[in-house]
Amino acid sequence: VPARISCLLPWAKLMVLLRNPVDRARSQYDMKVRFVKNAKKKRNEHGLRVPTFRQYVLNDLAALKETGVIQDWSNVDFDTFFNSAAMQEAWRSYINSGMNAPIGMGLYALQLQPFLELPNEFLAIQSEKLMTRTDETYGEVLDFLGLQRISLDWYPKANNAGGAKKKTDVDRETERLLQSVFEPFNRKLADLL
């Protein structure tokens, strides 16, 4: 896709909205739980099961290790491996495995690197900033697009998770595990941006 963009739309400006990857993983899990609950109601089935959030994370971590995306970084230099053909092959293998990827989807550096190598202008926005400083972030987007800044009186919330109120609690151990997995990739993303 990046090569096609470069060829067909070299003037296109690219924007990405990035969420804290731990929060994104939890949100994905909550969505899966809601989906299974709704499927059970519609089909009157009781056999559908959702693993615990921790097990959901551990399953994905196992797939990332099995495909070679996650290494023992105490024995492998992250920056060298990140830029290697072996990492690209491991990432392709992981993507093609069909995992429902609570961790993999949050490895933004791997997903965005090919786009950041394009000559196109690029803007990354933190979703937390968009939620808390909406008018300021909206102004930055308009500036990036070369449009006149305007301020709106109201910014409707576009995604409220289907009205879901309950969010999965993440135990400290799982949160620390996720943070440690994401840490080198987040550091690399900061370098890339």
Side-chain angles (χ1 to χ4, degrees):
V1 173
R4 288 188 203 135
I5 290 173
S6 180
C7 181
L8 298 172
L9 302 166
W11 59 87
K13 294 183 177 188
L14 306 175
M15 290 186 287
V16 64
L17 183 64
L18 300 173
R19 186 173 186 184
N20 174 314
V22 175
D23 294 340
R24 199 216 60 73
R26 183 196 39 80
S27 180
Q28 180 179 335
Y29 177 79
D30 290 343
M31 187 172 66
K32 182 180 181 85
V33 168
R34 283 191 308 275
F35 175 80
V36 169
K37 283 182 181 177
N38 289 337
K40 283 181 179 180
K41 287 178 188 176
K42 288 179 183 174
R43 297 183 197 140
N44 198 21
E45 294 179 13
H46 302 286
L48 295 173
R49 300 213 188 281
V50 176
T52 64
F53 179 68
R54 181 168 180 76
Q55 191 58 54
Y56 188 57
V57 165
L58 292 174
N59 291 346
D60 194 31
L61 183 57
L64 286 160
K65 287 180 177 179
E66 184 179 313
T67 56
V69 173
I70 300 292
Q71 301 281 322
D72 177 358
W73 304 124
S74 63
N75 294 324
V76 177
D77 180 68
F78 178 82
D79 290 322
T80 302
F81 185 71
F82 184 88
N83 294 312
S84 72
M87 174 60 102
Q88 297 311 311
E89 181 54 38
W91 182 244
R92 274 192 296 279
S93 177
Y94 171 76
I95 290 170
N96 292 332
S97 72
M99 268 304 294
N100 192 352
I103 299 174
M105 294 292 289
L107 300 178
Y108 303 134
L110 281 171
Q111 297 174 55
L112 294 178
Q113 183 184 28
F115 294 94
L116 292 168
E117 293 171 354
L118 298 176
N120 302 65
E121 292 182 62
F122 194 89
L123 177 66
I125 303 165
Q126 293 178 319
S127 66
E128 294 81 7
K129 181 181 173 190
L130 178 63
M131 295 300 293
T132 59
R133 299 189 333 244
T134 307
D135 193 53
E136 175 187 335
T137 307
Y138 178 61
E140 290 170 6
V141 169
L142 291 174
D143 290 345
F144 175 72
L145 295 173
L147 300 172
Q148 180 182 347
R149 266 194 186 225
I150 58 169
S151 186
L152 302 177
D153 295 330
W154 178 60
Y155 296 93
K157 189 170 182 179
N159 179 6
N160 66 356
K165 301 278 188 244
K166 187 173 187 259
K167 294 181 179 175
T168 298
D169 289 327
V170 179
D171 64 88
R172 291 272 185 230
E173 186 180 350
T174 303
E175 184 172 7
R176 279 193 297 272
L177 171 65
L178 285 168
Q179 289 170 344
S180 71
V181 170
F182 288 127
E183 191 277 327
F185 293 93
N186 290 346
R187 197 172 12 92
K188 186 65 174 180
L189 179 64
D191 291 346
L192 290 171
L193 295 174

